[in-house]
PDB file of all heavy atoms in Angstrom:
ATOM      1  N   THR W  96     259.224 -84.616 120.051  1.00 94.00           N
ATOM      2  CA  THR W  96     258.162 -84.800 119.058  1.00 94.00           C
ATOM      3  C   THR W  96     258.686 -84.515 117.653  1.00 94.00           C
ATOM      4  O   THR W  96     259.393 -83.539 117.433  1.00 94.00           O
ATOM      5  CB  THR W  96     256.969 -83.870 119.360  1.00 94.00           C
ATOM      6  OG1 THR W  96     256.532 -84.103 120.700  1.00 94.00           O
ATOM      7  CG2 THR W  96     255.826 -84.104 118.397  1.00 94.00           C
ATOM      8  N   LEU W  97     258.320 -85.388 116.716  1.00 95.00           N
ATOM      9  CA  LEU W  97     258.640 -85.179 115.308  1.00 95.00           C
ATOM     10  C   LEU W  97     257.407 -84.651 114.602  1.00 95.00           C
ATOM     11  O   LEU W  97     256.307 -85.188 114.769  1.00 95.00           O
ATOM     12  CB  LEU W  97     259.081 -86.489 114.652  1.00 95.00           C
ATOM     13  CG  LEU W  97     260.322 -87.163 115.223  1.00 95.00           C
ATOM     14  CD1 LEU W  97     260.578 -88.479 114.505  1.00 95.00           C
ATOM     15  CD2 LEU W  97     261.526 -86.253 115.124  1.00 95.00           C
ATOM     16  N   TYR W  98     257.595 -83.607 113.818  1.00 97.00           N
ATOM     17  CA  TYR W  98     256.508 -83.020 113.030  1.00 97.00           C
ATOM     18  C   TYR W  98     256.791 -83.283 111.560  1.00 97.00           C
ATOM     19  O   TYR W  98     257.852 -82.918 111.047  1.00 97.00           O
ATOM     20  CB  TYR W  98     256.391 -81.520 113.295  1.00 97.00           C
ATOM     21  CG  TYR W  98     255.893 -81.221 114.683  1.00 97.00           C
ATOM     22  CD1 TYR W  98     256.782 -81.034 115.737  1.00 97.00           C
ATOM     23  CD2 TYR W  98     254.531 -81.155 114.950  1.00 97.00           C
ATOM     24  CE1 TYR W  98     256.334 -80.770 117.017  1.00 97.00           C
ATOM     25  CE2 TYR W  98     254.060 -80.899 116.229  1.00 97.00           C
ATOM     26  CZ  TYR W  98     254.972 -80.705 117.252  1.00 97.00           C
ATOM     27  OH  TYR W  98     254.518 -80.457 118.520  1.00 97.00           O
ATOM     28  N   TYR W  99     255.832 -83.904 110.895  1.00 97.00           N
ATOM     29  CA  TYR W  99     255.980 -84.306 109.496  1.00 97.00           C
ATOM     30  C   TYR W  99     255.231 -83.358 108.578  1.00 97.00           C
ATOM     31  O   TYR W  99     254.198 -82.804 108.946  1.00 97.00           O
ATOM     32  CB  TYR W  99     255.442 -85.723 109.287  1.00 97.00           C
ATOM     33  CG  TYR W  99     256.319 -86.774 109.893  1.00 97.00           C
ATOM     34  CD1 TYR W  99     256.186 -87.126 111.230  1.00 97.00           C
ATOM     35  CD2 TYR W  99     257.290 -87.416 109.140  1.00 97.00           C
ATOM     36  CE1 TYR W  99     256.996 -88.089 111.794  1.00 97.00           C
ATOM     37  CE2 TYR W  99     258.105 -88.382 109.698  1.00 97.00           C
ATOM     38  CZ  TYR W  99     257.949 -88.714 111.024  1.00 97.00           C
ATOM     39  OH  TYR W  99     258.762 -89.669 111.580  1.00 97.00           O
ATOM     40  N   THR W 100     255.774 -83.202 107.372  1.00 96.00           N
ATOM     41  CA  THR W 100     255.124 -82.435 106.318  1.00 96.00           C
ATOM     42  C   THR W 100     255.517 -83.050 104.979  1.00 96.00           C
ATOM     43  O   THR W 100     256.465 -83.829 104.900  1.00 96.00           O
ATOM     44  CB  THR W 100     255.510 -80.940 106.387  1.00 96.00           C
ATOM     45  OG1 THR W 100     254.701 -80.203 105.490  1.00 96.00           O
ATOM     46  CG2 THR W 100     256.975 -80.721 106.062  1.00 96.00           C
ATOM     47  N   SER W 101     254.794 -82.681 103.933  1.00 95.00           N
ATOM     48  CA  SER W 101     255.130 -83.218 102.610  1.00 95.00           C
ATOM     49  C   SER W 101     256.473 -82.644 102.157  1.00 95.00           C
ATOM     50  O   SER W 101     256.867 -81.547 102.552  1.00 95.00           O
ATOM     51  CB  SER W 101     254.035 -82.890 101.596  1.00 95.00           C
ATOM     52  OG  SER W 101     253.915 -81.499 101.426  1.00 95.00           O
ATOM     53  N   ASP W 102     257.162 -83.395 101.312  1.00 94.00           N
ATOM     54  CA  ASP W 102     258.504 -82.988 100.878  1.00 94.00           C
ATOM     55  C   ASP W 102     258.684 -83.072  99.370  1.00 94.00           C
ATOM     56  O   ASP W 102     259.797 -83.018  98.882  1.00 94.00           O
ATOM     57  CB  ASP W 102     259.557 -83.859 101.574  1.00 94.00           C
ATOM     58  CG  ASP W 102     260.970 -83.300 101.414  1.00 94.00           C
ATOM     59  OD1 ASP W 102     261.097 -82.069 101.261  1.00 94.00           O
ATOM     60  OD2 ASP W 102     261.931 -84.084 101.443  1.00 94.00           O
ATOM     61  N   ASP W 103     257.595 -83.231  98.623  1.00 89.00           N
ATOM     62  CA  ASP W 103     257.725 -83.344  97.178  1.00 89.00           C
ATOM     63  C   ASP W 103     256.498 -82.750  96.505  1.00 89.00           C
ATOM     64  O   ASP W 103     255.448 -83.388  96.422  1.00 89.00           O
ATOM     65  CB  ASP W 103     257.890 -84.813  96.781  1.00 89.00           C
ATOM     66  CG  ASP W 103     258.310 -84.976  95.334  1.00 89.00           C
ATOM     67  OD1 ASP W 103     257.812 -84.211  94.482  1.00 89.00           O
ATOM     68  OD2 ASP W 103     259.116 -85.878  95.042  1.00 89.00           O
ATOM     69  N   ASP W 104     256.638 -81.515  96.054  1.00 91.00           N
ATOM     70  CA  ASP W 104     255.507 -80.819  95.420  1.00 91.00           C
ATOM     71  C   ASP W 104     255.023 -81.532  94.162  1.00 91.00           C
ATOM     72  O   ASP W 104     253.828 -81.510  93.866  1.00 91.00           O
ATOM     73  CB  ASP W 104     255.881 -79.374  95.081  1.00 91.00           C
ATOM     74  CG  ASP W 104     256.055 -78.515  96.325  1.00 91.00           C
ATOM     75  OD1 ASP W 104     255.498 -78.876  97.388  1.00 91.00           O
ATOM     76  OD2 ASP W 104     256.735 -77.479  96.232  1.00 91.00           O
ATOM     77  N   HIS W 105     255.920 -82.169  93.422  1.00 91.00           N
ATOM     78  CA  HIS W 105     255.515 -82.881  92.209  1.00 91.00           C
ATOM     79  C   HIS W 105     254.534 -84.006  92.544  1.00 91.00           C
ATOM     80  O   HIS W 105     253.511 -84.179  91.884  1.00 91.00           O
ATOM     81  CB  HIS W 105     256.730 -83.477  91.480  1.00 91.00           C
ATOM     82  CG  HIS W 105     257.657 -82.450  90.950  1.00 91.00           C
ATOM     83  ND1 HIS W 105     258.856 -82.173  91.550  1.00 91.00           N
ATOM     84  CD2 HIS W 105     257.561 -81.626  89.886  1.00 91.00           C
ATOM     85  CE1 HIS W 105     259.462 -81.227  90.874  1.00 91.00           C
ATOM     86  NE2 HIS W 105     258.701 -80.868  89.856  1.00 91.00           N
ATOM     87  N   ILE W 106     254.855 -84.772  93.575  1.00 91.00           N
ATOM     88  CA  ILE W 106     253.998 -85.886  93.965  1.00 91.00           C
ATOM     89  C   ILE W 106     252.687 -85.371  94.535  1.00 91.00           C
ATOM     90  O   ILE W 106     251.623 -85.943  94.286  1.00 91.00           O
ATOM     91  CB  ILE W 106     254.715 -86.814  94.970  1.00 91.00           C
ATOM     92  CG1 ILE W 106     255.974 -87.399  94.342  1.00 91.00           C
ATOM     93  CG2 ILE W 106     253.777 -87.909  95.466  1.00 91.00           C
ATOM     94  CD1 ILE W 106     255.748 -88.111  93.005  1.00 91.00           C
ATOM     95  N   MET W 107     252.749 -84.292  95.301  1.00 92.00           N
ATOM     96  CA  MET W 107     251.514 -83.726  95.850  1.00 92.00           C
ATOM     97  C   MET W 107     250.605 -83.228  94.719  1.00 92.00           C
ATOM     98  O   MET W 107     249.395 -83.410  94.776  1.00 92.00           O
ATOM     99  CB  MET W 107     251.832 -82.605  96.838  1.00 92.00           C
ATOM    100  CG  MET W 107     252.592 -83.089  98.066  1.00 92.00           C
ATOM    101  SD  MET W 107     251.912 -84.566  98.869  1.00 92.00           S
ATOM    102  CE  MET W 107     250.368 -83.938  99.452  1.00 92.00           C
ATOM    103  N   ASN W 108     251.192 -82.634  93.698  1.00 92.00           N
ATOM    104  CA  ASN W 108     250.388 -82.214  92.543  1.00 92.00           C
ATOM    105  C   ASN W 108     249.776 -83.420  91.841  1.00 92.00           C
ATOM    106  O   ASN W 108     248.597 -83.391  91.451  1.00 92.00           O
ATOM    107  CB  ASN W 108     251.232 -81.398  91.555  1.00 92.00           C
ATOM    108  CG  ASN W 108     251.571 -80.027  92.090  1.00 92.00           C
ATOM    109  OD1 ASN W 108     250.852 -79.475  92.901  1.00 92.00           O
ATOM    110  ND2 ASN W 108     252.681 -79.480  91.639  1.00 92.00           N
ATOM    111  N   LEU W 109     250.561 -84.471  91.674  1.00 91.00           N
ATOM    112  CA  LEU W 109     250.058 -85.702  91.065  1.00 91.00           C
ATOM    113  C   LEU W 109     248.914 -86.279  91.896  1.00 91.00           C
ATOM    114  O   LEU W 109     247.872 -86.675  91.350  1.00 91.00           O
ATOM    115  CB  LEU W 109     251.194 -86.719  90.934  1.00 91.00           C
ATOM    116  CG  LEU W 109     250.855 -88.068  90.330  1.00 91.00           C
ATOM    117  CD1 LEU W 109     250.387 -87.923  88.896  1.00 91.00           C
ATOM    118  CD2 LEU W 109     252.068 -88.975  90.400  1.00 91.00           C
ATOM    119  N   LEU W 110     249.081 -86.312  93.198  1.00 90.00           N
ATOM    120  CA  LEU W 110     248.047 -86.820  94.093  1.00 90.00           C
ATOM    121  C   LEU W 110     246.773 -85.997  93.970  1.00 90.00           C
ATOM    122  O   LEU W 110     245.678 -86.546  93.837  1.00 90.00           O
ATOM    123  CB  LEU W 110     248.549 -86.815  95.542  1.00 90.00           C
ATOM    124  CG  LEU W 110     247.529 -87.224  96.607  1.00 90.00           C
ATOM    125  CD1 LEU W 110     247.052 -88.651  96.383  1.00 90.00           C
ATOM    126  CD2 LEU W 110     248.125 -87.055  97.989  1.00 90.00           C
ATOM    127  N   HIS W 111     246.899 -84.686  93.985  1.00 91.00           N
ATOM    128  CA  HIS W 111     245.703 -83.842  93.903  1.00 91.00           C
ATOM    129  C   HIS W 111     245.036 -83.923  92.531  1.00 91.00           C
ATOM    130  O   HIS W 111     243.811 -83.851  92.437  1.00 91.00           O
ATOM    131  CB  HIS W 111     246.043 -82.405  94.300  1.00 91.00           C
ATOM    132  CG  HIS W 111     246.257 -82.295  95.775  1.00 91.00           C
ATOM    133  ND1 HIS W 111     247.409 -81.804  96.325  1.00 91.00           N
ATOM    134  CD2 HIS W 111     245.478 -82.672  96.820  1.00 91.00           C
ATOM    135  CE1 HIS W 111     247.320 -81.866  97.629  1.00 91.00           C
ATOM    136  NE2 HIS W 111     246.171 -82.404  97.961  1.00 91.00           N
ATOM    137  N   GLN W 112     245.820 -84.112  91.487  1.00 93.00           N
ATOM    138  CA  GLN W 112     245.217 -84.325  90.173  1.00 93.00           C
ATOM    139  C   GLN W 112     244.431 -85.628  90.156  1.00 93.00           C
ATOM    140  O   GLN W 112     243.333 -85.686  89.596  1.00 93.00           O
ATOM    141  CB  GLN W 112     246.291 -84.346  89.083  1.00 93.00           C
ATOM    142  CG  GLN W 112     246.838 -82.984  88.756  1.00 93.00           C
ATOM    143  CD  GLN W 112     247.933 -83.057  87.700  1.00 93.00           C
ATOM    144  OE1 GLN W 112     248.372 -84.130  87.292  1.00 93.00           O
ATOM    145  NE2 GLN W 112     248.385 -81.892  87.255  1.00 93.00           N
ATOM    146  N   ALA W 113     244.968 -86.662  90.782  1.00 91.00           N
ATOM    147  CA  ALA W 113     244.258 -87.948  90.842  1.00 91.00           C
ATOM    148  C   ALA W 113     242.977 -87.819  91.663  1.00 91.00           C
ATOM    149  O   ALA W 113     241.933 -88.374  91.292  1.00 91.00           O
ATOM    150  CB  ALA W 113     245.166 -89.020  91.427  1.00 91.00           C
ATOM    151  N   ILE W 114     243.031 -87.075  92.762  1.00 91.00           N
ATOM    152  CA  ILE W 114     241.851 -86.854  93.586  1.00 91.00           C
ATOM    153  C   ILE W 114     240.796 -86.079  92.802  1.00 91.00           C
ATOM    154  O   ILE W 114     239.617 -86.439  92.801  1.00 91.00           O
ATOM    155  CB  ILE W 114     242.222 -86.142  94.908  1.00 91.00           C
ATOM    156  CG1 ILE W 114     243.034 -87.087  95.795  1.00 91.00           C
ATOM    157  CG2 ILE W 114     240.974 -85.647  95.627  1.00 91.00           C
ATOM    158  CD1 ILE W 114     243.684 -86.406  96.989  1.00 91.00           C
ATOM    159  N   ASP W 115     241.232 -85.012  92.140  1.00 91.00           N
ATOM    160  CA  ASP W 115     240.297 -84.227  91.310  1.00 91.00           C
ATOM    161  C   ASP W 115     239.693 -85.085  90.211  1.00 91.00           C
ATOM    162  O   ASP W 115     238.496 -84.990  89.926  1.00 91.00           O
ATOM    163  CB  ASP W 115     241.000 -83.016  90.696  1.00 91.00           C
ATOM    164  CG  ASP W 115     241.347 -81.943  91.719  1.00 91.00           C
ATOM    165  OD1 ASP W 115     240.792 -81.982  92.844  1.00 91.00           O
ATOM    166  OD2 ASP W 115     242.184 -81.081  91.404  1.00 91.00           O
TER     167      ASP W 115
END
Side-chain angles (χ1 to χ4, degrees):
T96 305
L97 299 177
Y98 291 91
Y99 288 85
T100 189
S101 63
D102 193 28
D103 192 321
D104 291 338
H105 295 105
I106 299 306
M107 296 312 294
N108 289 333
L109 179 63
L110 176 61
H111 287 124
Q112 285 178 353
I114 291 168
D115 289 344

